[in-house]
Amino acid sequence: MVNFLSCDWGTSSFRLRLVEAQSFRVLAVQESQEGIAATFNRLDLRTRENPEERLRSYLLLIKKYISGIEQEKNTGLAGVPVIISGMASSSIGMANLPYRDLPFSVDGRDIGAAYYDASPGFAHPVLLVSGVRSETDVMRGEETQLIGSVPDNATAADGIYIFPGTHSKHIWVKNGQVTAFKTYMTGELFKLLSEESILREGVEENDNLHNTNYLQHFEDGVRDAQGTNLLHSVFRVRTNSLFGKRSKQENFNYLSGLLIGAELGEITPAETPHVYLCCGSNLKGRYAAALGVLGIKDKAQTFPADWADEAVVRGQVKIYKQFTHST
C-alpha cells in the first residue's frame, strides 16, 4: 500500500485525506459538515432499511469527495484503499457493525472491522473499523486514535489516555490492553449551556488562555467544580453575570473550567500512575492547565498537537495492516 484514503467520519463532520502510507504525510484533504447524522437523516425509509442500498448511498458520498481530491491532485485514485473509522460503523452509519468487547490490544490486532472489495460502482477496497463497548459505555473512533497514539514498535505505557472533545474519552491501558474507558459529554454540554440555556446571555466566546486574567477565571472554575454539585455550580455563571462579578468573556472561561474540572475530577493523584493527554491545539492548553490545578501535572504527558491530530491516520494504517496481514 503506497497511498490510502483516510476517512474520519463523525456524527457531525466528515474528513477525507489522501495519505502516503509509509510517512503518514497528508497529500490532500476534503472536509465538510456532512456528518453521519445529517447523511442518515437524508436517506428515505426504504434505503435505511436496505443494507445494500444504504451502503451504496454512503459510498456515493465518499466518492464525491474522492473526485474532489482527484481534481485537486490531477490524478486518478482508482484502486487506492479507503479506511473508515468513527460513526460510519454505527446504527446510523453505512453498516451497523457489532462492537468489540473489552479488553483489546492497543496494537490493533483484534479490533472489529468489515472489508469490502472494490466494485464497478466504487473502485476502492474499503476497510470499515468498528467500535468498542464495555458493560456500560461505547466508543467509535477513539479506539483508532488510541492505537495511532502509540508509536510504532513501542508498547503502550500503563495509565489513563485522555481524548478531549464533544464526548471526551478516558481510556485505561494496562499491559498493552485497554481494560476500561469512560465517556464524558463535556464538549456537548458546554455547547448546550453556552448557546441554548439561560447562561448564554452571560457568556461570550474567548479562547485566549494566554491572557493571565482569563486563565485565572478558567482555573477558578476547575477548582470550584471539585467537591460540589455541578448542577448547582453552573448556575454561578448566571449569578456572576447578574452581580457583575465576571465579564462575559471571563464567564466563558469560568464555565469551561467548571465542566473540564468536573470531567477530570475523578482522576486522583494518589491512584493515577500516569496520564496521557491526546488532543489538538484547540483544547490542549485548557486540559493541561486543569491537570495542573488538580495536582496531576507531574504525572501527565501531553502528546504534541500535530501527533494527536494525525493519530487517526496512524491508527487506521495499523488496523489495516493487522486485518489484511500486509506490511
Side-chain angles (χ1 to χ4, degrees):
M1 184 172 66
V2 178
N3 295 331
F4 77 99
L5 289 155
S6 164
C7 182
D8 182 12
W9 208 343
T11 303
S12 57
S13 63
F14 173 94
R15 178 165 57 175
L16 183 72
R17 293 180 277 197
L18 176 63
V19 181
E20 192 175 75
Q22 292 301 315
S23 66
F24 303 114
R25 185 165 66 96
V26 177
L27 306 175
V29 181
Q30 292 273 308
E31 295 180 283
S32 80
Q33 298 304 306
E34 290 190 276
I36 288 295
T39 303
F40 181 79
N41 289 337
R42 286 198 300 268
L43 301 179
D44 59 48
L45 183 60
R46 182 185 65 83
T47 302
R48 291 181 185 182
E49 294 181 348
N50 185 315
E52 292 183 1
E53 284 296 309
R54 181 165 151 182
L55 176 63
R56 188 180 70 84
S57 295
Y58 280 85
L59 291 178
L60 283 175
L61 181 59
I62 297 173
K63 186 176 180 180
K64 178 183 74 171
Y65 289 102
I66 293 175
S67 297
I69 292 178
E70 288 177 324
Q71 293 174 21
E72 176 187 339
K73 305 299 291 184
N74 192 28
T75 187
L77 296 174
V80 175
V82 179
I83 308 174
I84 309 170
S85 59
M87 291 296 290
S89 62
S90 71
S91 60
I92 59 172
M94 56 199 300
N96 187 13
L97 302 186
Y99 290 102
R100 171 71 166 81
D101 290 325
L102 291 179
F104 70 90
S105 174
V106 297
D107 65 7
R109 75 180 70 174
D110 48 9
I111 289 293
Y115 186 84
Y116 304 90
D117 290 320
S119 65
F122 192 77
H124 308 268
V126 174
L127 184 70
L128 177 60
V129 180
S130 184
V132 179
R133 60 165 292 171
S134 68
E135 291 185 1
T136 59
D137 215 328
V138 296
M139 63 179 171
R140 291 190 190 270
E142 293 85 4
E143 74 294 322
T144 305
Q145 286 180 279
L146 174 67
I147 291 167
S149 294
V150 179
D152 287 339
N153 303 317
T155 301
D158 291 356
I160 303 174
Y161 289 73
I162 299 175
F163 294 87
T166 303
H167 297 155
S168 294
K169 291 289 192 295
H170 295 191
I171 305 175
W172 279 260
V173 173
K174 186 173 183 179
N175 297 326
Q177 297 276 312
V178 171
T179 58
F181 65 93
K182 285 185 178 182
T183 302
Y184 298 84
M185 295 178 60
T186 312
E188 183 170 356
L189 186 56
F190 181 83
K191 181 178 176 63
L192 289 170
L193 289 174
S194 62
E195 296 181 8
E196 304 294 336
S197 78
I198 193 174
L199 304 184
R200 71 183 184 277
E201 301 299 333
V203 298
E204 182 178 310
E205 184 173 356
N206 180 278
D207 286 328
N208 183 18
L209 280 194
H210 296 294
N211 182 306
T212 55
N213 177 52
Y214 295 138
L215 175 61
Q216 181 62 55
H217 289 282
F218 172 81
E219 291 178 339
D220 286 346
V222 174
R223 278 186 284 269
D224 287 351
Q226 308 312 307
T228 62
N229 189 310
L230 183 64
L231 296 178
H232 167 67
S233 58
V234 293
F235 195 71
R236 293 181 189 174
V237 177
R238 171 69 170 161
T239 55
N240 286 340
S241 178
L242 288 175
F243 301 159
K245 291 183 176 182
R246 288 186 168 93
S247 70
K248 290 185 177 182
Q249 291 186 336
E250 291 167 349
N251 246 352
F252 177 90
N253 287 290
Y254 180 73
L255 175 60
S256 174
L258 281 174
L259 296 182
I260 292 175
E263 174 191 331
L264 300 178
E266 289 188 327
I267 302 175
T268 57
E271 298 175 357
T272 303
H274 297 287
V275 175
Y276 301 92
L277 180 60
C278 315
C279 63
S281 55
N282 60 324
L283 289 172
K284 177 180 174 181
R286 292 182 179 273
Y287 275 77
L291 289 171
V293 171
L294 297 173
I296 310 173
K297 187 175 182 180
D298 291 343
K299 296 186 175 185
Q301 175 183 332
T302 302
F303 287 93
D306 57 349
W307 178 267
D309 285 337
E310 296 169 2
V312 168
V313 169
R314 293 190 302 274
Q316 288 174 336
V317 170
K318 287 185 179 181
I319 294 169
Y320 182 87
K321 288 180 177 179
Q322 293 281 8
F323 192 88
T324 61
H325 305 290
S326 61
T327 58

